[in-house]
Amino acid sequence: MSDPRSASTRLGILLSTVRYEERRLLSELDRRGIPVARLDPRTMSFGPGDTEELKGMTVLNREISSQRAALAGESLEAFGARTVNDAAAIRVCGNKWSTYLRLRQDGVPTPTTLLAPTPEAGRAAVAALGYPAVIKPLSASWGNRVSLITDQYAAEAVLEHCAALPSAVARTVIVQEAVRPGSPDIRGIVVDGVCVGAITRSSSDWRNNVARGATVEQHAPDEEVHRLCVRAAAAVGATIAGVDLVERADGSHTVLEVNSRVEFQGFERATGVDVAARIVAAWTAEMIEVEEPV
């Protein structure tokens, strides 16, 4: 990839780990002959000699660490770069309570959610919502530390564990209404205001994360799902987003979470949609032809 100091290189990609998604994006750039600077947030100090070349650069933020992604994004923007997604969206999506507030403020249907900074608040929240309920940390991926609470004993165990964690942020959780736990959920991907398609995820575990072995299949075109995905992405300010939804018993849908650095390996396999091409098109603002949305 190109040297970031090259005058012809006006695109950057922020990453520290190259996964399937990043390989696909880099391959798509190579296929189109588009030069890009690879920026590693672990080595960027943003000193005076390091920042001049960032002015006017457009940087795709694919950093795997939410904290590093937000810090580097804010820094890049302060030194004149444009980031996709921007740091504000990454901050919101990296905090489940912040995401809930944005969705709620914009009228996007989302499960009832309560903030619990202490075990006492957690007990009160579980009592208010009833069983089952879901306890989630403010920031986590792939279903880590997400617990389905079915009785008082489970609630006490999880809240006691959270209380023993080393920081106030780690100890703070949200308690969320459990909407049909164990049923399949839906992941839609939004790129530049368009829902490019959706998949259904199913698992023997109640958490339907592909990283935990969930199976995926293409979700039939659904106007309500596509509309909610676009609304959810707009609510958090994300140009590129993975939106997780679940169907309620009455057939309506509710948005669970929004991911600002979406993984799409299972999505591409199930739908045939070239997500990497769509992201590159939106990021580079090139007028190119891609498949019509599913």
Side-chain angles (χ1 to χ4, degrees):
M1 290 297 160
S2 300
D3 186 325
R5 292 174 175 78
S6 168
S8 64
T9 304
R10 304 317 306 149
L11 295 175
I13 183 166
L14 185 76
L15 53 81
S16 60
T17 303
V18 178
R19 303 165 294 175
Y20 168 88
E21 291 76 13
E22 289 72 36
R23 286 196 302 272
R24 289 278 293 112
L25 291 163
L26 293 169
S27 175
E28 181 64 18
L29 289 163
D30 281 343
R31 186 184 71 80
R32 300 182 187 207
I34 300 173
V36 62
R38 286 174 62 168
L39 308 174
D40 189 335
R42 298 171 299 182
T43 60
M44 299 180 75
S45 59
F46 297 97
D50 304 325
T51 55
E52 187 63 30
E53 67 273 10
L54 298 175
K55 292 180 180 178
M57 184 180 284
T58 299
V59 179
L60 181 67
N61 195 330
R62 291 295 308 182
E63 169 52 32
I64 192 170
S65 162
S66 181
Q67 179 75 352
R68 284 199 300 257
L71 284 172
E74 289 171 342
S75 303
L76 287 163
E77 291 167 14
F79 287 102
R82 173 178 173 265
T83 60
V84 182
N85 286 305
D86 66 22
I90 286 173
R91 284 285 187 200
V92 171
C93 293
N95 184 303
K96 298 182 191 305
W97 178 247
S98 297
T99 300
Y100 167 73
L101 293 178
R102 291 292 184 89
L103 295 173
R104 185 176 182 276
Q105 288 168 338
D106 279 36
V108 178
T110 188
T112 301
T113 303
L114 303 174
L115 183 65
T118 63
E120 292 74 23
R123 293 186 192 98
V126 172
L129 291 179
Y131 301 104
V134 178
I135 294 180
K136 299 180 179 181
L138 292 181
S139 179
S141 301
W142 310 298
N144 293 329
R145 287 186 58 211
V146 177
S147 302
L148 180 64
I149 305 302
T150 56
D151 55 49
Q152 179 183 352
Y153 303 108
E156 288 293 339
V158 171
L159 292 170
E160 283 181 13
H161 171 76
C162 293
L165 294 173
S167 72
V169 172
R171 291 192 293 270
T172 301
V173 297
I174 60 171
V175 182
Q176 192 170 73
E177 169 195 5
V179 180
R180 298 180 64 212
S183 63
D185 68 7
I186 301 165
R187 157 69 61 87
I189 291 183
V190 175
V191 181
D192 204 18
V194 175
C195 181
V196 302
I199 56 173
T200 300
R201 305 183 299 185
S202 306
S203 176
S204 56
D205 187 286
W206 72 277
R207 294 164 293 186
N208 295 316
N209 298 88
V210 175
R212 291 181 174 273
T215 59
V216 301
E217 61 183 28
Q218 185 169 1
H219 187 74
D222 187 314
E223 184 177 342
E224 182 197 9
V225 167
H226 284 215
R227 178 176 54 83
L228 283 178
C229 287
V230 172
R231 287 180 61 196
V236 301
T239 301
I240 301 163
V243 181
D244 296 341
L245 313 90
V246 67
E247 185 176 342
R248 290 187 176 275
D250 64 2
S252 65
H253 294 89
T254 187
V255 175
L256 301 176
E257 296 184 3
V258 185
N259 189 305
S260 63
R261 299 177 319 285
V262 61
E263 297 174 350
F264 51 82
Q265 181 174 9
F267 185 99
E268 286 193 332
R269 184 173 64 246
T271 65
V273 174
D274 192 336
V275 178
R278 291 181 180 266
I279 290 175
V280 169
W283 168 29
T284 61
E286 287 190 338
M287 298 300 294
I288 61 172
E289 292 186 6
V290 290
E291 293 180 353
E292 289 298 316
V294 177

